[in-house]
Amino acid sequence: MPATSSPVRFDPARGLAVLRTPNSVYVIRVGSDGSPRHVYWGAALDTDDLAALPAAHSPADSSFEADADPDELAPQSGARFGPAGLQVRYADGTRGAQWTFTGHDIEGGKLLLRLTDRRYPLAAELVYRVRPDSDVIERWVELTHTGGDDSGPITVDRLDSASWTLPTLPDYRLTHLVGGWNSEFQLRRDRLPVAETVLTSRRGLTSHHANPWLALDDGTATEERGEVWTTALAWSGSWRVTVHRDPVGRTTWTGGFGHDGLSWTLAPGETLRTPVFAGLYTPGGFGAASRAWHTYVRGGVLPDPDRDRPVVYNSWEATGFDVDHDGQLRLAELAAGLGAELFVLDDGWFGARTSDRAGLGDWTPRPSAFPDGLRPLADEVHRLGMAFGLWVEPEMVNRDSDLYRAHPDWVVHAPSREATEQRNQLMLNFARPEVEAWAHHTLDRLVRENDVDWLKWDANRVVTEAGWPGQRDPDRLWIDHTRAVYRVMDRLRADHPRLRIEACAGGGGRVDLGILARTDQAWTSDNTDPVDRITIQHGFSQLFPAQTMATWVTDSPNVTTGRTTPLRFRFHVAAAGALGLGGDLTHWSEEELDQAAALVARYKEIRPLVQRGHQHRLSGPGGVTAVHYISEDSTEHAVLAWRPTTRFGHHSPALALPALDPTARYLDPDEGTTYSGAVLTRLGIDLALPDGDYASSLIRLRRVG
Ligand code: DGJ
């Protein structure tokens, strides 16, 4: 099959489906039992290779094993003993599915495999979509109850988006992200045990604690080389991914929305569609895997990838809940003077919200703080040449609020249980149509009346006592709440084409491919300490491009860690993403303000590379951490390097830049020095890091000749 032919082929005679991406091939075989089975995912194979695929059989020749390749979506039935991606129950108590393959469809890069249960009114479509010019394959499932009204409901205990399988490797290593509030996106790389390893969020949000992204390799891949298989789920509620390394040497994983113990009642005629679970293979190591994800997020996920993310000023760390018109205007004037392009009024502007104990849900400006409403501030901010942004937390309510007093039944709660408060707040049940309608109406009005260009959409608690009084299928809220959040965001964006949205959940508690399909960037972490941020940003960059990573320069000592760091170091760390300012500028000295203005201007010079270029991580956290950004046409380069501590007074060695072209020459436009690419790729560049702790540098290079 020539490389230019259709990325998707299906050979009905052999039941073989082949998906091709620039660097990989994915092969599925519909077996004699009607179930689509996994055959191969990895480096490209040509058509002749595919003609003679080995027959399916389990490595363990035993009557205790399944004698078939792993399923593309494992039902809970037959000789299958690993984690099931499809768990259903019929009215008579029977579980699982025994499929008949009823056909396929190909449309461009999309393949659809149709399955029907042999005995029960259940049909599934397994969908695969190859993204153009990308190694990413998107997968999802649509499950339909095909019976009539008299056939009774089918209970879905689990419907994953996809199961994935690795070729047999000598060993397996799992890379994933862990953390908590203030410590999100910490990268873990551990040998995969012979066991089932569950990555999950049971919180109703993606969570600070884990992210539905992972990478697998044989334990030898590096940043620059080696085979890596990696997947990411586009879902912002609870989720579960189970990686199963079995004792005979196979590794599969299955994942999707929801967590254990939830069920969905599928009514006759109803279809349940899963979120996308995307996967990619690369032979180029973890760095290439991240760049492939970044290209995909920019080309296939983000609503507006080519627009520069503005330099934001956000008032939260400066003023907390103590906000009013004059104070915010003063900050806006100072921020505009530093080159900020967007001013965001954070929490505390509405209702009785002078602390986190009251007012949440009452989205009207507090008269004592904003006597004429928000519009005068918005107009002033616009007059200063900045966009105007507003913090909202529409999914939440304080008990002490007019909204709660009027609609106590709108909160997620089980009537016979005491509702747990987190940050003195409860969660609104967006799965209720009237709550979704209220949220849309409220936000639409706020945006319209105040000429709002930007919403920072926050969420500061998770789901507990997940009841829904009066609803016969209360578990639905786990999925329908998230879907409603998506719908409200989508409608707002459609009705207000200029509006941009920043995702936030107490920092990085809801960052995933699902939320990024309707937001522009995410608030990475409430921890703005630059040393901790190096680790957090390193993890974040594994999946998400820099333009989605909101980073602020805040005051020193840092409010979270108490650490004192120089302004330049704070800026250089924040320059690795969508840079913003978050300190109390009224306390910055003239000298600091001048330095900050110069550093913002410097950031704007490299912004196109950071936000839209290719990112090469040169070294991870510990010692000197460095990242190299390359413009799309490979001519402009920026290197950011950070060294939090010195050791033994030793100077940092030169840093090799392996992503440069060894045959080219490069000019440092700031120093006027020209370098040979061969020297820079092999011997490296002197980072000119100042002596002492919290040293950093920003080097620009331009390809010449
Ligand atoms: C949590 C966010 O992450 C902060 O940036 C800030 O907006 C606060 N909420 C406000 O309550």
Side-chain angles (χ1 to χ4, degrees), residues 250-268:
R250 256 189 326 221
T251 290
T252 59
W253 65 109
T254 183
F257 58 4
H259 56 258
D260 282 339
L262 302 183
S263 62
W264 178 281
T265 308
L266 201 60

Side-chain angles (χ1 to χ4, degrees), residues 445-458:
R445 178 182 52 78
L446 273 178
V447 170
R448 250 177 240 290
E449 287 178 359
N450 300 298
D451 205 7
V452 171
D453 307 292
W454 181 280
L455 287 176
K456 178 179 172 190
W457 182 308
D458 202 350

